[in-house]
Amino acid sequence: MQSEAKSEATSRDCGDCTLCCKVMAIEALGKPANAWCAHCQPKRGCSIYADRPNECRAFRCLWLLNELLDDQWKPAKAKFVLTTSDDGIEVRCDPGFPDAWRKAPYQSEIREWAMSGEEHDVTVLIINGPRIILVTRERDFDLGDVGPDQRIVRELDGTRVVNATVVRASELAKASDLDQE
């Protein structure tokens, strides 16, 4: 039983934290988000750690990687896992604690990330199962349930996000095709 994945960037290890094994979807295992992995023993670790799928091997927990995030940001304590995506930061909430990110000190720091992100075209998303909230400098856009075939579209005024909507990916492709004609 492996219980301590070690970060290459810091001296931190997972210890008794296994929250990623709950909140992350693992396609190779047919494991949906927000359900415990069949191979995880909460607070103990992964029974197939040595043979875990590539999705698990590639996963990077920001708390493990970034020493600027102190122990209060450890997922087991914070009740959410910080990850990155191609265009930003994702806060993946434990379904039993969907508003943990709103508590001090988390919400104010997350808002600061959103403010900086607007200047650098980086999004900050709160993920509660299929429900997604886009955090911006001035407000939170509760986008409701967002499916895998949908995309978030931000309306900008300069770099400031003034609106956000969800559209089907196929609609974006059609709009892009029309723009190129």
Side-chain angles (χ1 to χ4, degrees):
M1 175 74 52
Q2 175 67 32
S3 62
E4 295 195 7
K6 195 99 169 145
S7 169
E8 297 167 6
T10 69
S11 61
R12 292 181 175 165
D13 60 49
C14 298
D16 66 351
C17 183
T18 52
L19 190 57
C20 63
C21 299
K22 181 178 186 181
V23 301
M24 303 300 292
I26 307 297
E27 190 174 318
L29 298 174
K31 186 203 115 29
N34 298 321
W36 284 108
C37 177
H39 303 287
C40 176
Q41 291 187 350
K43 296 190 180 218
R44 292 199 49 222
C46 177
S47 64
I48 62 165
Y49 187 80
D51 299 316
R52 69 196 183 281
N54 286 336
E55 288 171 85
C56 298
R57 291 178 189 280
F59 173 75
R60 299 292 179 248
C61 169
L62 287 181
W63 179 78
L64 282 175
L65 296 173
N66 189 332
E67 289 182 340
L68 295 176
L69 298 170
D70 63 24
D71 286 345
Q72 67 192 352
W73 292 87
K74 183 176 182 176
K77 180 171 183 164
K79 305 299 183 198
F80 53 78
V81 176
L82 295 173
T83 64
T84 59
S85 66
D86 289 340
D87 55 0
I89 297 172
E90 297 176 342
V91 180
R92 295 178 174 272
C93 298
D94 181 329
F97 301 90
D99 291 322
W101 70 277
R102 293 186 188 274
K103 296 184 173 160
Y106 311 119
Q107 186 175 31
S108 62
E109 186 71 25
I110 290 168
R111 181 84 53 209
E112 284 184 37
W113 297 340
M115 288 171 57
S116 175
E118 283 188 8
E119 296 170 20
H120 303 287
D121 198 27
V122 174
T123 60
V124 177
L125 299 176
I126 309 299
I127 301 173
N128 284 310
R131 181 176 168 215
I132 294 184
I133 299 169
L134 173 66
V135 179
T136 69
R137 79 175 60 218
E138 294 174 0
R139 65 177 275 209
D140 303 332
F141 292 92
D142 188 336
L143 302 170
D145 291 358
V146 178
D149 64 332
Q150 296 178 306
R151 302 293 177 263
I152 298 167
V153 176
R154 297 172 300 147
E155 183 181 328
L156 303 175
D157 180 7
T159 62
R160 190 171 61 97
V161 178
V162 294
N163 195 22
T165 56
V166 176
V167 300
R168 294 211 175 282
S170 59
E171 292 175 25
L172 281 178
K174 287 178 192 174
S176 177
D177 290 344
L178 290 174
D179 287 344
Q180 293 178 5
E181 289 180 359

